[in-house]
Amino acid sequence: MKKFISLSLLALLPVSADAEIVSFAGSMANSCTLGVGSDGALGLASDGKSLSSQELGGAQAAITIVSLANNTITVGAPTLSAYPAGYTAGAETTKIAYQGDGLLSTVSQDFTASETSFQVGVIPITSVVFDSRTENDAGFVEGQYQIDTVITCSP
């Protein structure tokens, strides 16, 4: 009987409830993030006068873009930044081209040796793929070559 009485007494006691507020705060700032999805590769044309991501053994490069407001993506002029000893630099023409994907599918640039840019608004992760090539009528000597371009995102 004691057990029954103690349980009954507990049930009759007033119940007190505590409450806590859980808050979430944040602010929206203009931000833009670029990430390298993959570097490209250059293949040699059959005539030996062109190295390109579109040749056999070549591969496109890709970046991802996340933009939280209106931003400008600038694609710098490409440069032949590395070449083997014995190659005389300066006679080549180096170009870059790109194509957007997903929400940026309307972004497209044919091969150019100049700096270019395009506008982006609020977009989730979206990619842009790049092709590059360098041409030289005198051809290329055996060794490693590298084309670089600087891509920036700014408000």
Side-chain angles (χ1 to χ4, degrees):
M1 195 55 122
K2 260 188 177 180
K3 255 188 185 174
F4 179 72
I5 292 171
S6 14
L7 288 176
S8 298
L9 287 175
L10 284 175
L12 297 175
L13 294 176
V15 177
S16 161
D18 287 337
E20 291 292 329
I21 297 173
V22 177
S23 299
F24 297 88
S27 62
M28 175 70 168
N30 182 358
S31 102
C32 186
T33 304
L34 301 175
V36 175
S38 61
D39 285 329
L42 297 171
L44 182 63
S46 60
D47 66 1
K49 295 181 180 183
S50 175
L51 294 167
S52 172
S53 58
Q54 295 178 325
E55 294 294 340
L56 182 64
Q60 292 179 314
I63 63 164
T64 57
I65 301 171
V66 177
S67 175
L68 298 180
N70 292 324
N71 289 289
T72 300
I73 306 295
T74 303
V75 179
T79 59
L80 183 62
S81 59
Y83 45 86
Y87 176 76
T88 305
E92 72 279 337
T93 302
T94 304
K95 297 180 179 183
I96 195 159
Y98 52 87
Q99 176 66 50
D101 190 28
L103 294 174
L104 293 176
S105 62
T106 59
V107 172
S108 181
Q109 173 63 54
D110 288 333
F111 278 102
T112 182
S114 302
E115 177 179 289
T116 59
S117 64
F118 59 92
Q119 301 297 312
V120 295
V122 176
I123 57 171
I125 295 177
T126 305
S127 64
V128 177
V129 292
F130 294 84
D131 280 299
S132 190
R133 72 176 175 221
T134 188
E135 300 168 322
N136 187 338
D137 287 337
F140 295 90
V141 300
E142 182 180 348
Q144 293 290 320
Y145 293 83
Q146 181 172 320
I147 297 172
D148 289 331
T149 189
V150 177
I151 302 166
T152 58
C153 186
S154 57

